[in-house]
Amino acid sequence: MRIATASQMRELDRITIQERGVPSTDLMERAAAALAQAALELAGGAPGRAVCFCGPGNNGGDGVACARLLREAGLEVRCVLVGRREKLTPDTRAMEARLAAAGGALEPFAPDDAEFAAWCLEADVMVDAIFGIGLNSDVRGDALTAIHMMNTCDIPVVSADIPSGVETDTGRVLGAAVRADRTVTFTLPKAGHFVGKGGLCTGRLTVADIGIPAELVDGEDYPVRTVEAEDISLPVRPRDAHKGDFGRVYILAGSVGYTGAPVLAAQAAVRSGAGLVTVGVPAPVWPVAAAKLDEAMPHPLPAGKEGQLSLDAGEAAFARLSACGVCLIGPGLGRGNSVSAVVRHLLPEIRIPVVLDADGINALEGHIDVLDGRKGLHTVLTPHDGEFARLGGDLSGGDRLGAARAFAMEHGCCLVLKGHCTITAFPDGSAYLNTTGNPGMAKGGSGDVLAGLILSLLGQGLPARQAVPMAVWLHGAAGDLCAGEIGEYGMTPSDLIAALPRVIRQHVK
C-alpha cells in the first residue's frame, strides 16, 4: 500500500475542496460513516452506549458527525468536546448543528464529574476524534486526561484517521497516545500507523474512501509503501533448470562460541531455493558446520587462537567467493581486531552484491568510508538499532523511518533496519514497511535466518528492490505461521527455517 504524508493529505483535501468543488462537509460525512460503522462493529450493534471524544478541529468534526450517525443507529451517545469551543472549525460547527437537529449535543469535557465518569464506564465503545494528522507537539491538559481515560477504561476504542497522540509521519508518541482497537484512516494509510511506538497503537487498520478523486490520489509520488501478501511473487521454475540457474552464494560467518549462526544462515538460504551455498568458517568451527550442513558446502578458513578468522582468512575466502554471485558476511564472526580487518579488507575488493549482517556491520564502526567506497554496487545492511547506532545512524529523535531513509541515501546502500515493522530503505529515498512478524521472533538466530534468506533471493537473480523487502516479508510470515502453530514462547529460528517452504509455496506464480 502507498503511504501518504500529512502534507500530501492536506494538499489532496485542498485540491478536492477548492479546485474540484467537493463540499468539505461531504468528505466529513463519508469519513464519519466509515468511523461509525467500525464503532458499531466494536459495540456489537444496537442497543448500546458510545462516548465520542472530539477535538475542536476537523478530526473532531468527524467524531461529532459519527456521534449523530450512532444515535441514528440506535445507540445512546454522549459527544464530548475536548478543547476550547472558540477553536471549533467551521465544518465542526456545522456537524454540531446537525447533531443538535438530531436531538444530540456537544457537551464540554468534565472528567471530574462523577456522573459522567460512571456513564463512560458503562459504554460499549469509545470514539477517539481528538487530534488528526496535524499534531506536532506533546499532548497536555484535557486531551491528556481524555487519552488516559480511553486507555484505562477497558472499553474498545476506534480512532479517527490516526490514534490521538501519534505523530503522522514518524510514529512518535507525543507524550501519550490512544491505544486503539481499530483505526479508520481516510484515503491512504500513513507511516504512523505502522512505525515507531505509535505503530503499536493502531489496532486493526481500515482505509476508507471518502471521495477524494482517484486521479488526484494516483497523481502523487509515494516513496514509502507497505509490503503486503499480494506484493509477494516468486517465479515458477523452468522444467529444464539446473542448480546453477538458482544462484551460487557464499557465506563468511562463525567463530568459536557462535557456531550456530553460519548454520542457520546457510539452512535458510538452502530452504529458500538457493542453488549452491558455500560457507566459509574458521577452522575450529568447520567440524560443527560440516556435521550440521548436508546441503551446503562448508570449508575451513585460517583462524587465530581465539577461534576467530585470522588475517590470512581474507585471501582464502576471496578465492572461493569470486566464483559466486552474492555473498553474506557477518553472522557470528565475533568482534576481534583480525575479523574487522578481514571484513574491511574484503569489502573494497568484492565486486558482487554483499549482504552485511551482525559483526560484518560492526566491523564498519569508525570506518564508514569503506561502505561509501561501495556506492554503485549492491550492498545490503541488516542492523538492529544498536548496530545502526554504531554505524552513525541517528535514532535519538524517535524517527526510525526518517533515519533509515537518510542513511541509505547518504551511503548508497540498502538498509534493513530490523525491529517492529522492519524498514527497508534504498538509496533513492524509497522505503518499504513490513507488515508481518511477531514477538516470538525476538530470539538469537532469527537475524541469521533473515540474512540467509536475503542472500538466497538475491542469488536467484531477483533485483534488490524486489528481493530484500520480499525476504523480510517472508521471514515475518514464517514467524507468524510458527506462532500460530507453536506459540510465540516456544518457537525457534530453526522453526522459521522449517516453515519457509510452506510460506514460499503460497507465493510461487
Side-chain angles (χ1 to χ4, degrees):
M1 289 190 294
R2 299 167 294 183
I3 300 293
T5 64
S7 63
Q8 284 177 316
M9 290 310 308
R10 285 192 289 267
E11 182 64 5
L12 287 171
D13 282 346
R14 185 196 68 77
I15 295 173
T16 300
I17 295 164
Q18 296 181 10
E19 298 181 17
R20 296 297 181 92
V22 177
S24 56
T25 51
D26 286 1
L27 300 180
M28 190 170 282
E29 285 285 359
R30 295 188 192 107
L35 189 62
Q37 179 61 40
L40 283 167
E41 291 171 5
L42 283 179
R49 282 186 174 186
V51 186
C52 298
F53 294 92
C54 305
N58 282 345
N59 188 258
D62 297 335
V64 176
C66 174
R68 187 190 80 247
L69 296 174
L70 291 176
R71 283 177 56 86
E72 292 172 358
L75 269 67
E76 187 179 359
V77 182
R78 293 187 74 163
C79 187
V80 180
L81 174 61
V82 184
R84 294 160 58 184
R85 175 165 288 278
E86 60 268 27
K87 290 193 173 184
L88 287 175
T89 63
D91 284 354
T92 302
R93 290 184 185 277
M95 292 304 155
E96 181 186 17
R98 295 181 188 184
L99 175 63
L106 178 60
E107 62 182 277
F109 180 49
D112 296 328
D113 184 330
E115 183 274 332
F116 170 73
W119 197 96
C120 288
L121 288 173
E122 296 299 321
D124 298 288
V125 66
M126 291 181 167
V127 175
D128 158 38
I130 302 173
F131 299 116
I133 61 175
L135 185 68
N136 56 17
S137 60
D138 280 0
V139 175
R140 55 180 61 86
D142 282 350
L144 184 62
T145 302
I147 289 172
H148 180 70
M149 285 183 65
M150 283 184 271
N151 286 344
T152 56
C153 280
D154 196 26
I155 295 167
V157 177
V158 57
S159 286
D161 216 358
I162 195 164
S164 291
V166 176
E167 190 171 49
T168 301
D169 294 339
T170 68
R172 290 192 306 154
V173 170
L174 298 174
V178 172
R179 295 190 293 272
D181 298 275
R182 291 277 300 273
T183 296
V184 178
T185 197
F186 311 126
T187 308
L188 289 172
K190 290 78 183 176
H193 294 132
F194 302 97
V195 299
K197 294 295 184 182
L200 301 173
C201 298
T202 303
R204 177 183 162 195
L205 180 66
T206 299
V207 181
D209 178 3
I210 62 171
I212 292 178
E215 66 270 19
L216 292 182
V217 178
D218 294 342
E220 288 285 319
D221 178 37
Y222 305 97
V224 180
R225 296 172 178 252
T226 62
V227 183
E228 310 287 343
E230 54 267 27
D231 300 317
I232 308 302
S233 178
L234 288 161
V236 175
R237 295 188 157 187
R239 299 302 299 168
D240 60 347
H242 60 82
K243 60 190 176 185
D245 293 331
F246 303 121
R248 300 171 184 267
V249 302
Y250 187 86
I251 299 172
L252 180 62
S255 60
V256 171
Y258 297 96
T259 58
V263 171
L264 291 170
Q267 289 174 336
V270 170
R271 279 293 197 172
S272 53
L276 289 163
V277 181
T278 303
V279 188
V281 294
V285 176
W286 178 80
V288 177
K292 291 185 176 182
L293 292 174
D294 293 326
E295 295 90 356
M297 299 172 289
H299 70 96
L301 292 169
K305 61 182 180 181
E306 281 137 10
Q308 297 178 339
L309 296 178
S310 70
L311 292 174
D312 299 331
E315 184 175 349
F318 187 78
R320 293 290 190 111
L321 67 83
S322 60
C324 297
V326 191
C327 73
L328 164 62
I329 300 175
L333 281 178
R335 298 191 64 184
N337 291 334
S338 62
V339 170
S340 296
V342 167
V343 173
R344 293 197 297 268
H345 174 74
L346 276 175
L347 284 176
E349 304 298 323
I350 299 173
R351 312 313 291 174
I352 59 175
V354 173
V355 181
L356 282 178
D357 181 56
D359 293 320
I361 295 170
N362 291 328
L364 297 182
E365 183 177 2
H367 297 272
I368 200 69
D369 58 298
V370 176
L371 176 62
D372 293 338
R374 284 187 54 84
K375 286 182 179 178
L377 299 171
H378 287 307
T379 310
V380 181
L381 281 72
T382 61
H384 54 59
D385 286 2
E387 292 161 347
F388 184 55
R390 285 193 284 275
L391 286 177
D394 183 10
L395 296 173
S396 59
D399 182 6
R400 299 181 84 244
L401 176 58
R405 294 176 69 195
F407 187 94
M409 287 188 287
E410 180 179 357
H411 299 290
C413 65
C414 171
L415 183 81
V416 180
L417 186 56
K418 296 185 292 193
H420 171 70
C421 188
T422 291
I423 299 162
T424 302
F426 287 93
D428 64 355
S430 62
Y432 296 84
L433 310 180
N434 192 44
T435 55
T436 58
N438 61 80
M441 301 172 70
K443 292 183 173 74
S446 290
D448 304 318
V449 176
L450 175 60
L453 182 53
I454 294 172
L455 174 77
S456 174
L457 296 188
L458 288 172
Q460 292 172 60
L462 296 176
R465 187 170 297 278
Q466 181 183 0
V468 183
M470 185 187 301
V472 174
W473 190 94
L474 290 169
H475 182 250
D480 291 340
L481 181 61
C482 292
E485 294 180 349
I486 304 170
E488 293 179 357
Y489 279 82
M491 57 188 281
T492 68
S494 294
D495 295 323
L496 296 181
I497 295 169
L500 279 174
R502 284 183 287 161
V503 173
I504 290 172
R505 185 173 63 178
Q506 298 171 11
H507 298 277
V508 176
K509 302 171 184 177

